[in-house]
Amino acid sequence: MIAYILRTLIKMCVTLFVIITLVFFATRLSGSPMETFLGEGLTAEDRELMIAYFGLDQSIWQQYLGYLRGIVEGNYGLSFLERRPVADIVAERVGPSLQLLASSVLLTVAVAIPLGVLAALYRESWVGSAIMALAFVGYAVPNFVIATFMVLVFAFMWNLLPVVGNGSWAHFIMPTIAMSGVLIAALTRFTRNAMLDVLGQDFMRTARAKGLPETVVILKHGLRNAGVTVLSVLGLQIAGLAAAGNVVVESIFSWPGIGELLVQSAITRDYPVLQFGVIAVSLAVVVINALTDIAYAVADPRIRLAKA
Amino acid sequence: MVDVTQTPVERGAIATLWTEANTIQKIAALIGLALVLLAVLAPLIAPFDPLKQSLIARLRPPVGFERHKPGFWLGTDELGRDVLSRSLYGLRLTLMLALLGASIGLLLGGTLGLVAGLRRGWTEDAIMGAVDLQIAVPFTLIALLILSIFGSTLPVMVAVLGIAGWEQYARIVRAEVRRITELPFIEAARASGGPPRYIALTHVLPNIVSPLVVQFTLALSNIVILESTLSFLGLGVQPPTATLGSMVGYGRDYMPTAPWMVIVPALMIILLTFSVQILGDWLRDRADVRLRSR
Amino acid sequence: MKALLTTTAALACLATGALAQQITVGAANVSSYLDPGRDHSNVGSQFYYNTFDTLIGKNHDSIEADWQPALATEWTMIDPLTMELKLREGVTFQNGEDMTADDVVFSLNRMYQATFPPYQVRSKDRLANFAEAIKVDDYTVQVKVEREEPLWETLLNLQQVMIIPEDYTKALSGDPQVAEDGDFEAFSLAPVGTGPYAVSEFVPGEKVVYTRYDGFWGDKAPLEQATVIRIPETASRITALKTGEADIITNVAPDQLGLIDADANLKTEGSATALFHVMIMNVNHPALEDPRIRRALSLAIDRDTLNEALWYGKAIVPSTHTMAEMGALHQPDLVTFEYDPAEAKRLLDAAGYDGTEITFDTDPVYYTNGLLAAQAIVEMWSEVGVKGRVNTTSTWSGSSPDLMVRNWSNPMYFADPFGSFGVMWAPNGPSEGEGRFNTDAEYAEIWDRFRFSSDVEARKAAYAELMERIKDNPPVLPLYRPYESWAMRKGVNWAPKPGHIPYVLDFRAGSISLADS
């Protein structure tokens, strides 16, 4: 187990190093920050001045080595635009993103697992088909379509819900639903499939044979065993979709989150913010993935055995 | 034990498939077929040139509403172009992009996954490392960087959409290759000196067709949604060319004032992904049943 | 449930607006830093006037140059190159410091003798003629120029020379006795001025909170608090106005005006902003080197139709690069730019245009209607036989040698042709610096006469000569002054004032009142 964790850690570090390197060079290939920073209309001379001011007059290798040294020393640089430490800027944005992520995961689990179980139990009837059809629709609608539509109906027409920022619990309703659509759809399907796998297995038959009520059998034995698979899928989905998928939701609801920050800094070429933001997000994803792997292995001895 | 030589998806069994399908699956199949037909026939059935502007007839509503302009059944957009014609051509381009993107992903990911599964060692580590990388960095950002480095032309867009899903194929193929090559009789074939390529072709390929087809259908709808997200950020296919995604992305500002610009392409996106997903799931269920029954 | 939600929404409204003397503004963009000296962006212009003062003020109700005492109470020329200004006594900064000649000299010289690169860049294009500011006594300063200056008041009324506190700024980082780059960087995150509102909270790019400064030397600020928040999405901004989360919203596109005007609780205000959306053409691109091609690209564009279709006729289409705000220098009689498709075709033939594809670059969102106009222009080109293509890019391509055509804006940084055309198209200015515009000795000589002649007629004549040059060999076509709109609750009395530079959110006394509080 310790060897496994060590190996995972080393892999994580290598992945992060490669990401840092790729992002560093890709940002510099993608365009210059100069015009964005001073509005339009810089003379050639002005540009030289500003390039030196941002430290971009050094050779790219010097910049790269300097950046690596900074990371080791815990100095991630100043935003070109705001001239304050990028770590502060990113830290400000992580909280709201995590809040939204947490509420979305809660909603997803609360909705998708019962739906998935029902869909598995009533596999042959219209209930199962209807649930699955619903799940497919959830998967098919782009999140900004759900979001814009909700804004139109619940805020613009009916004036029920606020649309700007994260000030109160009411502010969470629409962004959470918009974020969760895809997650619910995916998790419902996986829960259903996992339950189907479990329902046919021996220990379920044993439990029924012991005369336990069907509900208990399903909830206690079925769900617990299916839960392992569901957990791992949920972890992957959160990591993948949450980090990438909320730029749009954040823009629509003026949510001060990390996704929007990353896209904005990529568009304005604020290299230091972009680099640190990507590192932070990928670190989170890599860690969540690793934890999911480990949890998976711990939770289900059969898998560990099978893997060995 | 598993009969590895049997092809999970039998050919020429469309009639059987149809009779076995439930109502939702049948509806999905019909919707999918209709959409493909509309896309293929777009140049024949679209009433207008999708790029033709008319600045004096901007933002006209669909038939049946006040200020409707006859002939423009679904209304006009912010430059007075015909929404119906743009939707049809948009559907066509969107389908083409999705097919191309998913195929590139399949080829790239499938090949790399196969190599990783067969070769092992540092090759496998490098490929799987790349998979981890792709999972770790939000794809929107990768797309953004690629598009700003290479410019957002159609070929670059296709490449971006292709890269979007390769890691899924790679994971599936590698896992399957590893599972199969660890089966005793393959070990035996390997031990007796069978070349890896031969083993791959004869034993592995037939077994991964089913999961790959399923992944391919998933990727199709993911790509449609990704393209619309990029359009939302202003990074999608260049205007004035229409895709379903760009119509929704650029039209969203008009949701309160001219919702017809958005509703038709949004519905098409939903129907398209919906039917593709149902069909993909259906295929998977059939493959699962087969596996279970063995 | 519905009742509960309604209550919550109502509470949210109470918390953000509606209460006495408080408003919330939903802006499309919020600055990433607040320093009037280094900023000249359209986003930044919104924010400075509430918090900072200039030495010489202006009556913003009029487009005339009606100068008013502000931090300086009187000003006189003591020799042709020196102005002496008497400072207002009893003025305090929002942090309590007294404003004296030291602060004024510090603020002016940070621009006139700039060492901080962002200031250097900003001061060169408009303040190059200003040598230094000198303290005479605690309430008297002198400002010296290199050459006789025809625009004294104009250039002392600039946003870039608003007054900031010396001691406070110097103490922000490093040595409190010395002005370092770090001080100015820190200042832009915690700005302090002498204006009627202090910036009490600033989240870069997200939010600016103004709180009334009771020690203000002039008329008391009408609002206790004004909060500007960023709401980037158009539909969300309009919705926020409807739900009451915002009392005023900025950047309402012309296509959305009808929607708001149809709501009995809301209204819109707007004006043709003192800024041109322009089309620039790279004179050095091989395909565009022949001036006849560029003249044809310009003559093919029916700007009046663009105005009618995209702006509902509310924009202003100019005959030359001039604006009514420029007073005596406003020359609407000059005809530099026209619509003449027949002439365009003739020029294309004469130049032997071979069907080369001409790309028109535009940012997908930056300019209101920018992408629409680009698509419409390319369509208009096709009617005279030019093959065009729109290329959307979020990168500024104006400095690329591959640039063919793109959109840009020429704002009026101050009310003089020098503040608009004069900055953007100066010899060695930004356009020439980016390699898409060429000047020669003759152009430089005309430009110099236009910039420095003390006789207004001589300046006008020189400007007309410059316009002739532009007409014969065009690098630019001003499309129109866009009609920029703001929307608000009916109870808010606010409108953009004609005497301001573009986009200023002016909440000072006499500029805003709340009817229902």
Side-chain angles (χ1 to χ4, degrees), chain C residues 278-285 288-295 297-298 321 336-337 398 403-408 410 421 424-426 431-432 435-439 443 466-478:
Chain C
V278 304
M279 173 181 93
I280 51 174
M281 297 170 279
N282 182 358
V283 304
N284 293 320
H285 192 284
L288 303 177
E289 254 172 348
D290 188 330
R292 288 173 296 187
I293 302 263
R294 277 176 277 120
R295 283 172 61 195
L297 292 180
S298 177
H321 205 304
T336 315
F337 310 105
L403 171 81
M404 296 178 94
V405 178
R406 76 163 287 142
N407 53 13
W408 195 29
N410 283 182
F421 179 87
M424 296 307 213
W425 303 91
S431 298
E432 185 164 31
R436 52 185 160 78
F437 175 54
N438 303 329
T439 62
Y443 185 93
L466 288 177
M467 287 302 117
E468 270 314 301
R469 298 266 312 218
I470 296 295
K471 181 178 186 174
D472 292 341
N473 192 351
V476 62
L477 167 69

Side-chain angles (χ1 to χ4, degrees), chain C residues 439-459:
Chain C
T439 62
D440 52 23
E442 191 196 341
Y443 185 93
E445 186 272 326
I446 308 173
W447 194 89
D448 197 76
R449 267 191 284 132
F450 147 68
R451 166 71 180 88
F452 285 108
S453 295
S454 47
D455 173 34
V456 170
E457 288 309 315
R459 292 192 67 208

Side-chain angles (χ1 to χ4, degrees), chain C residues 196-323:
Chain C
Y197 295 95
V199 173
S200 54
E201 189 188 347
F202 175 43
V203 184
E206 291 294 326
K207 185 169 158 189
V208 178
V209 182
Y210 295 109
T211 304
R212 179 192 288 152
Y213 172 51
D214 289 320
F216 178 55
W217 56 269
D219 292 340
K220 184 180 162 197
L223 303 175
E224 270 161 28
Q225 199 168 70
T227 305
V228 185
I229 46 171
R230 174 167 175 261
I231 309 179
E233 284 290 302
T234 305
S236 304
R237 223 161 38 244
I238 295 175
T239 306
L241 183 65
K242 277 210 140 194
T243 60
E245 289 172 89
D247 304 295
I248 303 181
I249 58 170
T250 73
N251 294 60
V252 181
D255 286 335
Q256 318 284 351
L257 292 177
L259 180 77
I260 291 163
D261 288 328
D263 188 316
N265 301 316
L266 307 177
K267 63 176 178 177
T268 57
E269 295 283 354
S271 69
T273 310
L275 166 151
F276 285 124
H277 281 182
V278 304
M279 173 181 93
I280 51 174
M281 297 170 279
N282 182 358
V283 304
N284 293 320
H285 192 284
L288 303 177
E289 254 172 348
D290 188 330
R292 288 173 296 187
I293 302 263
R294 277 176 277 120
R295 283 172 61 195
L297 292 180
S298 177
L299 289 166
I301 299 173
D302 181 357
R303 296 175 297 160
D304 290 318
T305 296
L306 289 181
N307 182 15
E308 281 306 316
L310 304 182
W311 301 93
Y312 300 85
K314 291 174 169 177
I316 294 175
V317 174
S319 63
T320 189
H321 205 304
T322 194
M323 298 186 185

Side-chain angles (χ1 to χ4, degrees), chain C residues 309-373:
Chain C
L310 304 182
W311 301 93
Y312 300 85
K314 291 174 169 177
I316 294 175
V317 174
S319 63
T320 189
H321 205 304
T322 194
M323 298 186 185
E325 285 82 346
M326 291 162 181
L329 275 289
H330 178 221
Q331 301 188 72
D333 300 340
L334 297 179
V335 178
T336 315
F337 310 105
E338 289 173 279
Y339 170 54
D340 188 344
E343 175 68 3
K345 275 187 194 149
R346 196 190 64 75
L347 286 168
L348 288 169
D349 280 346
Y353 170 70
D354 58 358
T356 310
E357 185 180 79
I358 314 266
T359 51
F360 188 118
D361 293 358
T362 174
D363 186 279
V365 290
Y366 189 79
Y367 301 111
T368 306
N369 279 342
L371 179 56
L372 290 188

